[in-house]
Amino acid sequence: MSGVCVVTTTVDSDEAAESLAKGIVEARLGACVQIVPIRSVYRWDGEVRVDAEWQCVVKTTAVRADDLVAHIKAQHTYDVPEVVVTPVIGGNDEYLAWVSEETS
């Protein structure tokens, strides 16, 4: 195991994504945040919805994951924001070391 994980969330605007990403990196909760425009189809309040969203993919460490999740939930405008933590089981050792350095 590398000790690195990826945390994914979605927000409702490009501006919200950039603001969230900057706050995460500035607080050293994540080494990097990639912002990807997506379209989400989901059921909410008994209705199927299709919305434009921006997915934020954060590279961080398992040690920082709980603090990152708390930060995202505190900053988020959704009632129930998507926040998913996925462990990284391998990859470029130099990149994984950089993620660890940037989040410590």
Side-chain angles (χ1 to χ4, degrees):
M1 293 291 279
S2 69
V4 171
C5 58
V6 175
V7 178
T8 306
T9 192
T10 55
V11 295
D12 60 0
S13 72
D14 184 51
E15 295 80 14
E18 189 170 309
S19 176
L20 182 64
K22 284 181 177 179
I24 287 168
V25 173
E26 286 172 356
R28 293 194 173 269
L29 294 171
C32 173
V33 182
Q34 294 170 316
I35 300 169
V36 183
I38 61 171
R39 181 174 303 153
S40 294
V41 180
Y42 60 99
R43 184 181 311 275
W44 188 255
D45 291 333
E47 168 185 338
V48 175
R49 298 184 184 188
V50 179
D51 287 319
E53 290 189 296
W54 285 257
Q55 184 178 60
C56 299
V57 181
V58 185
K59 272 64 85 183
T60 191
T61 59
V63 171
R64 299 295 277 161
D66 288 343
D67 290 338
L68 175 57
V69 169
H71 177 85
I72 291 170
K73 289 173 67 177
Q75 300 299 315
H76 218 288
T77 60
Y78 290 1
D79 293 338
V80 182
E82 169 193 358
V83 184
V84 177
V85 179
T86 307
V88 172
I89 60 169
N92 178 344
D93 289 337
E94 292 84 4
Y95 179 79
L96 300 176
W98 174 78
V99 170
S100 294
E101 289 169 17
E102 289 300 312
T103 56
S104 58

